[in-house]
Amino acid sequence: METVLHFAPYTGWVYPNETIIEWSVLIAVYPYLTGLVAGAFTVSSLYQVFGFERLRPVAHLALLTSLSFMIFVPTPLLLHLGHPERAFNSTITPHLTSAMAMFGFFASFYVALLILEGWFAYRPYIVEQAQKRSDLLGRVYRVMTLGSYDVSEHAMRIDRKWIFALAVIGIPAAHGLHGYVGFMYGSLKSREWWSSDLMPVIFLFSAIISGVSLLAVLYVASCKLRKLAVDLACLKGLAYTIWAFIMVALVLEGLEFANMVYKGREGIDMIMQYVTGPLLVPYFILQFAIGAITPFLWLSYMIWRGTTGKALVVGVTVCACLVLFSVFMMRWNVVIGGQEISKTGKGLLSYHLPFWGKEGALMAIVLTLAPLALLFGLTRLFPPWAEHATHAHG
Amino acid sequence: MKNDDQPSLSARRAFLAKLGGAATCAGAAVGAAALGVMPSVAAKTEPAADGASFPTKDYDWTKHQWGFGVDATKCIGCLRCVEACKAENDVPRNAHQFRTWVERYVHLEGGDQVHIDSQQDPVNIEASGSETTFRFANRYKDAKVYKAFFVPKLCNHCTHPSCVQVCPTGATFRTEDGVVLVDETYCIGCRYCVQACPYGARFFNEEKHVADKCTWCYHRITKGLQPACVEVCPVGARIFGDQKDKQSPISLFIRNNRVQVLKAEMGNAPNVYYVGIDKEVN
Ligand code: SF4
Ligand code: SF4
């Protein structure tokens, strides 16, 4: 079989084997998806655990969003493997010094946790549907009751305890999962661009802002689709959350960059040449200026002026979209950017993103949007609107 | 983590079983060793002494500790080693992936910058006229060269290999005799190791869909032969041998020279020793 190699053009001196860039856009999509999972889960736990009442309208949407995205998290990885049929090798014989080996376990644990929490949250609804419906769907709901039809106040109290407990466990699980994704890059000493102790934390905070932003967009969209008024208090709650975390994310990223420049280790000249050259637009303009600083200032302005009504809805939605874009650019700049700076510290490569193919742009878009389709389906089965589901507090 | 360079035993055992039908005795240790709790014991439970070890009968990997030397002052950049390696090891016949390569460092008179290239550089490929035979183009013939030298490169078979550390399956591992190998029947092709190697020694084999790199010609050295690149080098710039044998070429090379390793600050503790490289070489 003829294999086509996409080799990367380069300048300066790069190791010969580096001229084929091995981690494609899919490896940028992967942390993007896990980040959305962790961020969406944050919203659900802010409500369930920390009692942020104003987030009530999105709490269950958050849970379903987390689950939908989590189910798709392994797909970019599987598509990228040379031997996807051997994927379980890393689960059967995990090599414990590898940051990647535990992924299967963490991910399965977390999916199970999400399903369990979702089950408790939707139990009354499932029971109600199981009793009401006599069609095929009714049968599905009957299976999902797992034989438990008890929705008495006593049973619900127990359910609420479970939800609370699972949400509490879910916080370290979701954030651990994502921080660990950051560690996968930060722990590699081969590249100055990745090798940073701050990497896991940076990943975490950008994850939170992306997940909260996603929920803001989904919430506004769902209200429009259902022709309901947007709960402004809830939207404001989301906006505050984005605002607070974006600040931390910006500070952390700034610190990391400053550290790298200030330490000025070998290879820094190349990095400077890179960030002021090919990376100028994706990094400083798209990721920071447009994607992070603009929404930060805009949100600050709205909070300061007490903006409300339509202006608030439009403002927060646009800001949230910008943040979603910024976080994707951050993943891109880390994963692709890291590989564009040669390990020699003396050369730069340039990655070409094909449109078609297993690891092309189209696939990346499909994989990012597919969870939304699943989410749409799930909201049909389990309407996440507040009145249907159980909440940890009353 | 440095003391845990042993691969997960089960993966390695699967590898050995496939290649030589060895080591049923290790079974009992699998559970514990797969948890990484007893790597040193694990290594001892599978000696090659039963005579059916990988890849050569009667080869005992506990009796050797291989090492490689590069005398950059001797290299003439003929690239025979690169071609021999490609032929011997069935390395993909393209101009982008190599198990070994040679770098050329050139300082021009009056310039303060070093010019570095390797055989894969488009100018050199054009000069050779093909992507399967290699030569260095005479690209500096009109300039005054101030200082120039060649540096052969290959996997360093590190004592603390980053590639082994990050491999999620244990498909890449370090043998008892100090060689870092990839089990191509077990590798899932995630390429984490390719990213982790600080030296650019690894590539992804698009034909086999697995990670690939130099093996020091393990199939040859376990039969008492030299690696192909060492064998063809016309000037003796590549030196290979057993570090346990104090009279071997590599032991003498290390003893008689002030040797250095590449990127020592990485902590990988390479087992390829260099003589005659300059400050820019990394
Ligand atoms: S040089 Fe790279 S591939 Fe070779 S053993 Fe060291 S880390 Fe692994
Ligand atoms: S590509 Fe293969 S050898 Fe390399 S880390 Fe992945 S599974 Fe291990």
PDB file of all heavy atoms in Angstrom, chain A residues 58 61 209-225 230 235 238 242 313-325 372 375:
ATOM      1  N   VAL A  58     -30.010  25.654  34.861  1.00  0.00           N
ATOM      2  CA  VAL A  58     -29.069  24.974  33.958  1.00  0.00           C
ATOM      3  C   VAL A  58     -28.415  23.760  34.610  1.00  0.00           C
ATOM      4  O   VAL A  58     -27.644  23.047  33.962  1.00  0.00           O
ATOM      5  CB  VAL A  58     -27.947  25.917  33.463  1.00  0.00           C
ATOM      6  CG1 VAL A  58     -28.489  26.911  32.462  1.00  0.00           C
ATOM      7  CG2 VAL A  58     -27.256  26.597  34.605  1.00  0.00           C
ATOM      8  N   LEU A  61     -29.146  20.565  32.711  1.00  0.00           N
ATOM      9  CA  LEU A  61     -28.592  20.693  31.368  1.00  0.00           C
ATOM     10  C   LEU A  61     -27.077  20.480  31.450  1.00  0.00           C
ATOM     11  O   LEU A  61     -26.466  19.834  30.598  1.00  0.00           O
ATOM     12  CB  LEU A  61     -28.919  22.081  30.817  1.00  0.00           C
ATOM     13  CG  LEU A  61     -28.481  22.364  29.393  1.00  0.00           C
ATOM     14  CD1 LEU A  61     -29.164  21.425  28.429  1.00  0.00           C
ATOM     15  CD2 LEU A  61     -28.777  23.806  29.005  1.00  0.00           C
ATOM     16  N   ILE A 209     -13.795  27.822  32.088  1.00  0.00           N
ATOM     17  CA  ILE A 209     -14.447  28.908  31.341  1.00  0.00           C
ATOM     18  C   ILE A 209     -15.109  28.377  30.071  1.00  0.00           C
ATOM     19  O   ILE A 209     -16.176  28.833  29.697  1.00  0.00           O
ATOM     20  CB  ILE A 209     -13.507  30.097  31.027  1.00  0.00           C
ATOM     21  CG1 ILE A 209     -12.262  29.662  30.284  1.00  0.00           C
ATOM     22  CG2 ILE A 209     -13.142  30.838  32.300  1.00  0.00           C
ATOM     23  CD1 ILE A 209     -11.397  30.849  29.854  1.00  0.00           C
ATOM     24  N   SER A 210     -14.499  27.376  29.446  1.00  0.00           N
ATOM     25  CA  SER A 210     -15.124  26.870  28.219  1.00  0.00           C
ATOM     26  C   SER A 210     -16.437  26.165  28.529  1.00  0.00           C
ATOM     27  O   SER A 210     -17.436  26.355  27.840  1.00  0.00           O
ATOM     28  CB  SER A 210     -14.165  25.949  27.460  1.00  0.00           C
ATOM     29  OG  SER A 210     -13.999  24.726  28.145  1.00  0.00           O
ATOM     30  N   GLY A 211     -16.456  25.358  29.590  1.00  0.00           N
ATOM     31  CA  GLY A 211     -17.675  24.623  29.926  1.00  0.00           C
ATOM     32  C   GLY A 211     -18.799  25.555  30.346  1.00  0.00           C
ATOM     33  O   GLY A 211     -19.954  25.389  29.930  1.00  0.00           O
ATOM     34  N   VAL A 212     -18.485  26.559  31.158  1.00  0.00           N
ATOM     35  CA  VAL A 212     -19.517  27.495  31.598  1.00  0.00           C
ATOM     36  C   VAL A 212     -20.042  28.278  30.392  1.00  0.00           C
ATOM     37  O   VAL A 212     -21.249  28.495  30.242  1.00  0.00           O
ATOM     38  CB  VAL A 212     -18.968  28.442  32.685  1.00  0.00           C
ATOM     39  CG1 VAL A 212     -20.065  29.366  33.171  1.00  0.00           C
ATOM     40  CG2 VAL A 212     -18.392  27.658  33.849  1.00  0.00           C
ATOM     41  N   SER A 213     -19.130  28.663  29.506  1.00  0.00           N
ATOM     42  CA  SER A 213     -19.556  29.401  28.313  1.00  0.00           C
ATOM     43  C   SER A 213     -20.467  28.540  27.450  1.00  0.00           C
ATOM     44  O   SER A 213     -21.476  29.014  26.924  1.00  0.00           O
ATOM     45  CB  SER A 213     -18.351  29.827  27.484  1.00  0.00           C
ATOM     46  OG  SER A 213     -17.520  30.644  28.249  1.00  0.00           O
ATOM     47  N   LEU A 214     -20.096  27.288  27.316  1.00  0.00           N
ATOM     48  CA  LEU A 214     -20.922  26.393  26.509  1.00  0.00           C
ATOM     49  C   LEU A 214     -22.339  26.350  27.086  1.00  0.00           C
ATOM     50  O   LEU A 214     -23.328  26.418  26.355  1.00  0.00           O
ATOM     51  CB  LEU A 214     -20.310  24.989  26.484  1.00  0.00           C
ATOM     52  CG  LEU A 214     -21.141  23.941  25.750  1.00  0.00           C
ATOM     53  CD1 LEU A 214     -21.195  24.244  24.264  1.00  0.00           C
ATOM     54  CD2 LEU A 214     -20.583  22.544  25.974  1.00  0.00           C
ATOM     55  N   LEU A 215     -22.420  26.272  28.401  1.00  0.00           N
ATOM     56  CA  LEU A 215     -23.743  26.208  29.015  1.00  0.00           C
ATOM     57  C   LEU A 215     -24.529  27.483  28.794  1.00  0.00           C
ATOM     58  O   LEU A 215     -25.734  27.439  28.554  1.00  0.00           O
ATOM     59  CB  LEU A 215     -23.608  25.930  30.498  1.00  0.00           C
ATOM     60  CG  LEU A 215     -23.560  24.453  30.784  1.00  0.00           C
ATOM     61  CD1 LEU A 215     -23.392  24.215  32.246  1.00  0.00           C
ATOM     62  CD2 LEU A 215     -24.828  23.779  30.288  1.00  0.00           C
ATOM     63  N   ALA A 216     -23.832  28.615  28.870  1.00  0.00           N
ATOM     64  CA  ALA A 216     -24.528  29.879  28.635  1.00  0.00           C
ATOM     65  C   ALA A 216     -25.138  29.868  27.237  1.00  0.00           C
ATOM     66  O   ALA A 216     -26.316  30.196  27.044  1.00  0.00           O
ATOM     67  CB  ALA A 216     -23.555  31.043  28.803  1.00  0.00           C
ATOM     68  N   VAL A 217     -24.340  29.448  26.268  1.00  0.00           N
ATOM     69  CA  VAL A 217     -24.842  29.424  24.891  1.00  0.00           C
ATOM     70  C   VAL A 217     -25.993  28.426  24.768  1.00  0.00           C
ATOM     71  O   VAL A 217     -27.046  28.736  24.194  1.00  0.00           O
ATOM     72  CB  VAL A 217     -23.697  29.051  23.913  1.00  0.00           C
ATOM     73  CG1 VAL A 217     -24.228  28.915  22.497  1.00  0.00           C
ATOM     74  CG2 VAL A 217     -22.608  30.096  23.968  1.00  0.00           C
ATOM     75  N   LEU A 218     -25.807  27.228  25.320  1.00  0.00           N
ATOM     76  CA  LEU A 218     -26.848  26.206  25.215  1.00  0.00           C
ATOM     77  C   LEU A 218     -28.124  26.655  25.911  1.00  0.00           C
ATOM     78  O   LEU A 218     -29.231  26.421  25.428  1.00  0.00           O
ATOM     79  CB  LEU A 218     -26.365  24.889  25.831  1.00  0.00           C
ATOM     80  CG  LEU A 218     -25.320  24.113  25.033  1.00  0.00           C
ATOM     81  CD1 LEU A 218     -24.881  22.883  25.809  1.00  0.00           C
ATOM     82  CD2 LEU A 218     -25.864  23.716  23.665  1.00  0.00           C
ATOM     83  N   TYR A 219     -27.959  27.315  27.042  1.00  0.00           N
ATOM     84  CA  TYR A 219     -29.142  27.741  27.788  1.00  0.00           C
ATOM     85  C   TYR A 219     -29.937  28.779  26.998  1.00  0.00           C
ATOM     86  O   TYR A 219     -31.153  28.660  26.839  1.00  0.00           O
ATOM     87  CB  TYR A 219     -28.717  28.287  29.154  1.00  0.00           C
ATOM     88  CG  TYR A 219     -29.882  28.831  29.935  1.00  0.00           C
ATOM     89  CD1 TYR A 219     -30.960  27.998  30.247  1.00  0.00           C
ATOM     90  CD2 TYR A 219     -29.938  30.166  30.316  1.00  0.00           C
ATOM     91  CE1 TYR A 219     -32.054  28.491  30.939  1.00  0.00           C
ATOM     92  CE2 TYR A 219     -31.029  30.661  31.010  1.00  0.00           C
ATOM     93  CZ  TYR A 219     -32.086  29.828  31.310  1.00  0.00           C
ATOM     94  OH  TYR A 219     -33.174  30.321  31.978  1.00  0.00           O
ATOM     95  N   VAL A 220     -29.223  29.769  26.482  1.00  0.00           N
ATOM     96  CA  VAL A 220     -29.915  30.794  25.697  1.00  0.00           C
ATOM     97  C   VAL A 220     -30.572  30.161  24.477  1.00  0.00           C
ATOM     98  O   VAL A 220     -31.743  30.420  24.166  1.00  0.00           O
ATOM     99  CB  VAL A 220     -28.931  31.916  25.285  1.00  0.00           C
ATOM    100  CG1 VAL A 220     -29.580  32.870  24.292  1.00  0.00           C
ATOM    101  CG2 VAL A 220     -28.438  32.666  26.509  1.00  0.00           C
ATOM    102  N   ALA A 221     -29.829  29.267  23.807  1.00  0.00           N
ATOM    103  CA  ALA A 221     -30.387  28.620  22.618  1.00  0.00           C
ATOM    104  C   ALA A 221     -31.623  27.805  22.985  1.00  0.00           C
ATOM    105  O   ALA A 221     -32.635  27.841  22.272  1.00  0.00           O
ATOM    106  CB  ALA A 221     -29.336  27.733  21.967  1.00  0.00           C
ATOM    107  N   SER A 222     -31.570  27.089  24.107  1.00  0.00           N
ATOM    108  CA  SER A 222     -32.717  26.255  24.474  1.00  0.00           C
ATOM    109  C   SER A 222     -33.937  27.120  24.792  1.00  0.00           C
ATOM    110  O   SER A 222     -35.059  26.773  24.447  1.00  0.00           O
ATOM    111  CB  SER A 222     -32.372  25.340  25.649  1.00  0.00           C
ATOM    112  OG  SER A 222     -32.251  26.105  26.827  1.00  0.00           O
ATOM    113  N   CYS A 223     -33.694  28.268  25.426  1.00  0.00           N
ATOM    114  CA  CYS A 223     -34.822  29.160  25.711  1.00  0.00           C
ATOM    115  C   CYS A 223     -35.452  29.669  24.421  1.00  0.00           C
ATOM    116  O   CYS A 223     -36.668  29.754  24.292  1.00  0.00           O
ATOM    117  CB  CYS A 223     -34.365  30.347  26.544  1.00  0.00           C
ATOM    118  SG  CYS A 223     -33.961  29.875  28.222  1.00  0.00           S
ATOM    119  N   LYS A 224     -34.577  29.997  23.461  1.00  0.00           N
ATOM    120  CA  LYS A 224     -35.106  30.485  22.187  1.00  0.00           C
ATOM    121  C   LYS A 224     -35.926  29.373  21.522  1.00  0.00           C
ATOM    122  O   LYS A 224     -37.022  29.602  21.021  1.00  0.00           O
ATOM    123  CB  LYS A 224     -33.972  30.904  21.243  1.00  0.00           C
ATOM    124  CG  LYS A 224     -33.179  32.091  21.729  1.00  0.00           C
ATOM    125  CD  LYS A 224     -33.910  33.409  21.497  1.00  0.00           C
ATOM    126  CE  LYS A 224     -33.334  34.470  22.414  1.00  0.00           C
ATOM    127  NZ  LYS A 224     -34.206  35.356  23.110  1.00  0.00           N
ATOM    128  N   LEU A 225     -35.371  28.157  21.524  1.00  0.00           N
ATOM    129  CA  LEU A 225     -36.053  27.048  20.865  1.00  0.00           C
ATOM    130  C   LEU A 225     -37.385  26.744  21.549  1.00  0.00           C
ATOM    131  O   LEU A 225     -38.371  26.441  20.890  1.00  0.00           O
ATOM    132  CB  LEU A 225     -35.172  25.791  20.892  1.00  0.00           C
ATOM    133  CG  LEU A 225     -34.035  25.764  19.884  1.00  0.00           C
ATOM    134  CD1 LEU A 225     -33.184  24.516  20.078  1.00  0.00           C
ATOM    135  CD2 LEU A 225     -34.573  25.801  18.456  1.00  0.00           C
ATOM    136  N   VAL A 230     -35.486  34.039  28.869  1.00  0.00           N
ATOM    137  CA  VAL A 230     -34.238  33.644  29.520  1.00  0.00           C
ATOM    138  C   VAL A 230     -34.271  34.120  30.972  1.00  0.00           C
ATOM    139  O   VAL A 230     -34.644  35.266  31.235  1.00  0.00           O
ATOM    140  CB  VAL A 230     -33.048  34.277  28.788  1.00  0.00           C
ATOM    141  CG1 VAL A 230     -31.749  33.979  29.514  1.00  0.00           C
ATOM    142  CG2 VAL A 230     -32.989  33.799  27.355  1.00  0.00           C
ATOM    143  N   LEU A 235     -28.508  33.606  33.936  1.00  0.00           N
ATOM    144  CA  LEU A 235     -27.508  33.986  32.938  1.00  0.00           C
ATOM    145  C   LEU A 235     -26.424  34.857  33.581  1.00  0.00           C
ATOM    146  O   LEU A 235     -25.234  34.719  33.282  1.00  0.00           O
ATOM    147  CB  LEU A 235     -28.185  34.733  31.790  1.00  0.00           C
ATOM    148  CG  LEU A 235     -27.340  34.879  30.536  1.00  0.00           C
ATOM    149  CD1 LEU A 235     -27.010  33.515  29.956  1.00  0.00           C
ATOM    150  CD2 LEU A 235     -28.022  35.742  29.502  1.00  0.00           C
ATOM    151  N   LEU A 238     -24.025  32.715  35.391  1.00  0.00           N
ATOM    152  CA  LEU A 238     -23.036  32.123  34.480  1.00  0.00           C
ATOM    153  C   LEU A 238     -21.994  33.169  34.086  1.00  0.00           C
ATOM    154  O   LEU A 238     -20.795  32.887  34.030  1.00  0.00           O
ATOM    155  CB  LEU A 238     -23.733  31.568  33.243  1.00  0.00           C
ATOM    156  CG  LEU A 238     -24.635  30.347  33.474  1.00  0.00           C
ATOM    157  CD1 LEU A 238     -25.389  29.988  32.209  1.00  0.00           C
ATOM    158  CD2 LEU A 238     -23.806  29.156  33.945  1.00  0.00           C
ATOM    159  N   ILE A 242     -17.953  32.978  34.515  1.00  0.00           N
ATOM    160  CA  ILE A 242     -16.984  33.109  33.415  1.00  0.00           C
ATOM    161  C   ILE A 242     -15.998  34.233  33.745  1.00  0.00           C
ATOM    162  O   ILE A 242     -14.786  34.081  33.628  1.00  0.00           O
ATOM    163  CB  ILE A 242     -17.694  33.435  32.080  1.00  0.00           C
ATOM    164  CG1 ILE A 242     -18.698  32.340  31.727  1.00  0.00           C
ATOM    165  CG2 ILE A 242     -16.674  33.599  30.961  1.00  0.00           C
ATOM    166  CD1 ILE A 242     -19.514  32.635  30.482  1.00  0.00           C
ATOM    167  N   VAL A 313     -28.439  39.419  27.462  1.00  0.00           N
ATOM    168  CA  VAL A 313     -28.505  38.112  26.790  1.00  0.00           C
ATOM    169  C   VAL A 313     -27.542  38.086  25.603  1.00  0.00           C
ATOM    170  O   VAL A 313     -26.722  37.170  25.463  1.00  0.00           O
ATOM    171  CB  VAL A 313     -29.947  37.809  26.332  1.00  0.00           C
ATOM    172  CG1 VAL A 313     -29.988  36.499  25.561  1.00  0.00           C
ATOM    173  CG2 VAL A 313     -30.879  37.753  27.524  1.00  0.00           C
ATOM    174  N   VAL A 314     -27.621  39.127  24.778  1.00  0.00           N
ATOM    175  CA  VAL A 314     -26.751  39.174  23.599  1.00  0.00           C
ATOM    176  C   VAL A 314     -25.288  39.250  24.036  1.00  0.00           C
ATOM    177  O   VAL A 314     -24.432  38.499  23.552  1.00  0.00           O
ATOM    178  CB  VAL A 314     -27.116  40.381  22.703  1.00  0.00           C
ATOM    179  CG1 VAL A 314     -26.105  40.529  21.574  1.00  0.00           C
ATOM    180  CG2 VAL A 314     -28.523  40.216  22.151  1.00  0.00           C
ATOM    181  N   GLY A 315     -25.025  40.129  24.978  1.00  0.00           N
ATOM    182  CA  GLY A 315     -23.646  40.322  25.442  1.00  0.00           C
ATOM    183  C   GLY A 315     -23.038  39.034  25.963  1.00  0.00           C
ATOM    184  O   GLY A 315     -21.959  38.619  25.530  1.00  0.00           O
ATOM    185  N   VAL A 316     -23.757  38.380  26.869  1.00  0.00           N
ATOM    186  CA  VAL A 316     -23.198  37.167  27.465  1.00  0.00           C
ATOM    187  C   VAL A 316     -23.040  36.074  26.410  1.00  0.00           C
ATOM    188  O   VAL A 316     -22.029  35.366  26.372  1.00  0.00           O
ATOM    189  CB  VAL A 316     -24.084  36.671  28.639  1.00  0.00           C
ATOM    190  CG1 VAL A 316     -23.593  35.327  29.148  1.00  0.00           C
ATOM    191  CG2 VAL A 316     -24.088  37.687  29.761  1.00  0.00           C
ATOM    192  N   THR A 317     -24.014  35.957  25.513  1.00  0.00           N
ATOM    193  CA  THR A 317     -23.914  34.911  24.498  1.00  0.00           C
ATOM    194  C   THR A 317     -22.703  35.136  23.594  1.00  0.00           C
ATOM    195  O   THR A 317     -21.945  34.201  23.318  1.00  0.00           O
ATOM    196  CB  THR A 317     -25.203  34.859  23.648  1.00  0.00           C
ATOM    197  OG1 THR A 317     -26.319  34.911  24.529  1.00  0.00           O
ATOM    198  CG2 THR A 317     -25.260  33.603  22.826  1.00  0.00           C
ATOM    199  N   VAL A 318     -22.528  36.377  23.169  1.00  0.00           N
ATOM    200  CA  VAL A 318     -21.385  36.643  22.287  1.00  0.00           C
ATOM    201  C   VAL A 318     -20.076  36.394  23.040  1.00  0.00           C
ATOM    202  O   VAL A 318     -19.151  35.737  22.531  1.00  0.00           O
ATOM    203  CB  VAL A 318     -21.433  38.088  21.733  1.00  0.00           C
ATOM    204  CG1 VAL A 318     -20.171  38.389  20.938  1.00  0.00           C
ATOM    205  CG2 VAL A 318     -22.661  38.279  20.865  1.00  0.00           C
ATOM    206  N   CYS A 319     -20.018  36.890  24.276  1.00  0.00           N
ATOM    207  CA  CYS A 319     -18.798  36.675  25.064  1.00  0.00           C
ATOM    208  C   CYS A 319     -18.523  35.175  25.213  1.00  0.00           C
ATOM    209  O   CYS A 319     -17.382  34.727  25.084  1.00  0.00           O
ATOM    210  CB  CYS A 319     -18.934  37.290  26.447  1.00  0.00           C
ATOM    211  SG  CYS A 319     -18.825  39.068  26.419  1.00  0.00           S
ATOM    212  N   ALA A 320     -19.589  34.416  25.491  1.00  0.00           N
ATOM    213  CA  ALA A 320     -19.411  32.982  25.688  1.00  0.00           C
ATOM    214  C   ALA A 320     -18.878  32.327  24.413  1.00  0.00           C
ATOM    215  O   ALA A 320     -17.995  31.469  24.463  1.00  0.00           O
ATOM    216  CB  ALA A 320     -20.722  32.342  26.110  1.00  0.00           C
ATOM    217  N   CYS A 321     -19.405  32.751  23.264  1.00  0.00           N
ATOM    218  CA  CYS A 321     -18.908  32.184  21.999  1.00  0.00           C
ATOM    219  C   CYS A 321     -17.427  32.520  21.820  1.00  0.00           C
ATOM    220  O   CYS A 321     -16.634  31.671  21.376  1.00  0.00           O
ATOM    221  CB  CYS A 321     -19.706  32.722  20.819  1.00  0.00           C
ATOM    222  SG  CYS A 321     -21.369  32.068  20.776  1.00  0.00           S
ATOM    223  N   LEU A 322     -17.074  33.759  22.165  1.00  0.00           N
ATOM    224  CA  LEU A 322     -15.664  34.145  22.031  1.00  0.00           C
ATOM    225  C   LEU A 322     -14.780  33.290  22.936  1.00  0.00           C
ATOM    226  O   LEU A 322     -13.706  32.842  22.537  1.00  0.00           O
ATOM    227  CB  LEU A 322     -15.486  35.626  22.372  1.00  0.00           C
ATOM    228  CG  LEU A 322     -16.056  36.613  21.352  1.00  0.00           C
ATOM    229  CD1 LEU A 322     -15.886  38.046  21.845  1.00  0.00           C
ATOM    230  CD2 LEU A 322     -15.357  36.440  20.004  1.00  0.00           C
ATOM    231  N   VAL A 323     -15.254  33.048  24.148  1.00  0.00           N
ATOM    232  CA  VAL A 323     -14.455  32.246  25.077  1.00  0.00           C
ATOM    233  C   VAL A 323     -14.308  30.819  24.533  1.00  0.00           C
ATOM    234  O   VAL A 323     -13.219  30.235  24.570  1.00  0.00           O
ATOM    235  CB  VAL A 323     -15.092  32.237  26.482  1.00  0.00           C
ATOM    236  CG1 VAL A 323     -14.420  31.210  27.364  1.00  0.00           C
ATOM    237  CG2 VAL A 323     -15.000  33.613  27.103  1.00  0.00           C
ATOM    238  N   LEU A 324     -15.403  30.277  24.003  1.00  0.00           N
ATOM    239  CA  LEU A 324     -15.334  28.920  23.440  1.00  0.00           C
ATOM    240  C   LEU A 324     -14.278  28.859  22.342  1.00  0.00           C
ATOM    241  O   LEU A 324     -13.508  27.900  22.238  1.00  0.00           O
ATOM    242  CB  LEU A 324     -16.692  28.520  22.870  1.00  0.00           C
ATOM    243  CG  LEU A 324     -17.706  28.061  23.916  1.00  0.00           C
ATOM    244  CD1 LEU A 324     -19.086  27.911  23.296  1.00  0.00           C
ATOM    245  CD2 LEU A 324     -17.257  26.738  24.520  1.00  0.00           C
ATOM    246  N   PHE A 325     -14.268  29.901  21.543  1.00  0.00           N
ATOM    247  CA  PHE A 325     -13.294  29.960  20.464  1.00  0.00           C
ATOM    248  C   PHE A 325     -11.878  30.095  21.027  1.00  0.00           C
ATOM    249  O   PHE A 325     -10.939  29.404  20.601  1.00  0.00           O
ATOM    250  CB  PHE A 325     -13.643  31.139  19.553  1.00  0.00           C
ATOM    251  CG  PHE A 325     -12.610  31.419  18.521  1.00  0.00           C
ATOM    252  CD1 PHE A 325     -12.400  30.539  17.483  1.00  0.00           C
ATOM    253  CD2 PHE A 325     -11.822  32.562  18.606  1.00  0.00           C
ATOM    254  CE1 PHE A 325     -11.422  30.796  16.539  1.00  0.00           C
ATOM    255  CE2 PHE A 325     -10.844  32.821  17.663  1.00  0.00           C
ATOM    256  CZ  PHE A 325     -10.649  31.934  16.625  1.00  0.00           C
ATOM    257  N   LEU A 372     -23.236  17.538  20.643  1.00  0.00           N
ATOM    258  CA  LEU A 372     -24.431  18.373  20.703  1.00  0.00           C
ATOM    259  C   LEU A 372     -25.636  17.605  20.171  1.00  0.00           C
ATOM    260  O   LEU A 372     -26.749  17.722  20.698  1.00  0.00           O
ATOM    261  CB  LEU A 372     -24.220  19.659  19.900  1.00  0.00           C
ATOM    262  CG  LEU A 372     -23.186  20.611  20.487  1.00  0.00           C
ATOM    263  CD1 LEU A 372     -23.002  21.824  19.591  1.00  0.00           C
ATOM    264  CD2 LEU A 372     -23.604  21.058  21.884  1.00  0.00           C
ATOM    265  N   LEU A 375     -26.620  15.341  22.811  1.00  0.00           N
ATOM    266  CA  LEU A 375     -27.274  16.117  23.869  1.00  0.00           C
ATOM    267  C   LEU A 375     -28.723  16.409  23.495  1.00  0.00           C
ATOM    268  O   LEU A 375     -29.630  16.291  24.319  1.00  0.00           O
ATOM    269  CB  LEU A 375     -26.510  17.423  24.095  1.00  0.00           C
ATOM    270  CG  LEU A 375     -27.103  18.366  25.135  1.00  0.00           C
ATOM    271  CD1 LEU A 375     -27.101  17.725  26.505  1.00  0.00           C
ATOM    272  CD2 LEU A 375     -26.334  19.675  25.174  1.00  0.00           C
TER     273      LEU A 375
END
